[in-house]
């Protein structure tokens, strides 16, 4: 039930945009996005709920296609601080049992 | 407001030994879940506790166990350690409002089995 993320890695220059995709084979109730910097805990970015509700970061946006069981995270005008590994976590049954993707490594260079 | 606290942060154990990791959730959070993170497998769900009861369990052998106390603090135990158990173990807590619960991670316990 582990979701699949793409791309696996991306390198951006400051100011460029990026899209990270997350796809699940199971019906989803919600999708969560986290960013983890090396040696640190994953930090919550965004949650997308079935039905369209979103809660999260004001400089990062995301979409959730319930029918296709897919979510995309949009990073615009990237900053150096955006570097890290991004994980999507999917919750198939409204509980707290999340399945996380293998991550997308994002590096922003000057 | 204090975050999720995990102890110890780093530990080295020998194959065959057992280990206990501790997690104190954010004040007011009643749900605590545990994850194993390795470079090859990513974040893998171990189990989740709510009000001292295990509600969900991932696909890990019985050597991995946990419990939650009345104050919501949680411990996880790994017995008969194997080299493959070397990983970062992350604890996460949640308010569990029943509608898109956000989970907040601790900084993790780095376990090395030699």
């Amino acid at each position: 039930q582990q979701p699949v993320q793409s791309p696996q890695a991306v390198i951006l220059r400051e100011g460029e945009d990026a899209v990270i995709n997350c796809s699940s084979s199971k019906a989803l109730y919600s999708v969560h996005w986290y960013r983890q910097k090396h040696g640190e805990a994953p930090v919550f970015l965004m949650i997308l709920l079935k039905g369209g509700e979103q809660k999260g970061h004001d400089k990062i946006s995301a979409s959730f296609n319930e029918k296709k069981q897919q979510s995309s995270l949009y990073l615009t005008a990237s900053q150096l601080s955006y570097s890290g590994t991004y994980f999507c976590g999917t919750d198939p049954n409204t509980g707290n049992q999340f399945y996380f993707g293998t991550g997308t490594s994002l590096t922003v260079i000057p | 407001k204090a975050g999720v606290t995990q102890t110890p942060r780093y530990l080295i154990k020998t194959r065959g030994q057992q280990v206990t990791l501790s997690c104190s959730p954010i004040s007011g959070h009643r749900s605590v879940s545990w994850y194993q993170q390795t470079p090859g497998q990513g974040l893998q769900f171990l189990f989740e506790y709510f009000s001292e009861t295990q509600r969900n369990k991932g696909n890990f052998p019985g050597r991995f166990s946990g419990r939650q106390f009345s104050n919501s603090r949680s411990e996880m135990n790994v017995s008969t350690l194997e080299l493959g158990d070397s990983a970062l173990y992350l604890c996460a807590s949640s308010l569990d409002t029943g509608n898109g619960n956000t989970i907040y991670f601790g900084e993790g316990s780095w376990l090395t089995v030699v």
Side-chain angles (χ1 to χ4, degrees), chain A residues 2 29-30 32 34 36 39-44 47 49 53 55 87 93-98 100-102, chain B residues 9 31 33 35 37 41 43-45 48 55-58 88 90 94 96 98-103 105-107:
Chain A
Q2 186 175 35
Y29 173 74
S30 65
H32 301 232
Y34 288 82
Q36 185 179 30
E40 298 180 8
V43 173
F44 169 75
I47 177 175
L49 302 174
E53 185 179 355
K55 308 175 192 176
F87 293 97
N93 59 8
T94 79
N96 284 333
Q97 182 171 358
F98 293 95
F100 284 92
T102 51
Chain B
R9 289 295 317 281
S31 169
S33 50
Y35 292 82
Q37 187 175 30
Q41 298 295 320
L43 278 159
Q44 301 283 313
F45 174 78
E48 186 248 350
R55 288 199 303 191
N56 294 297
K57 189 177 190 304
L88 174 65
L90 290 162
S94 166
D96 193 59
N99 182 25
N101 305 303
T102 299
I103 60 172
F105 286 93
E107 292 189 319

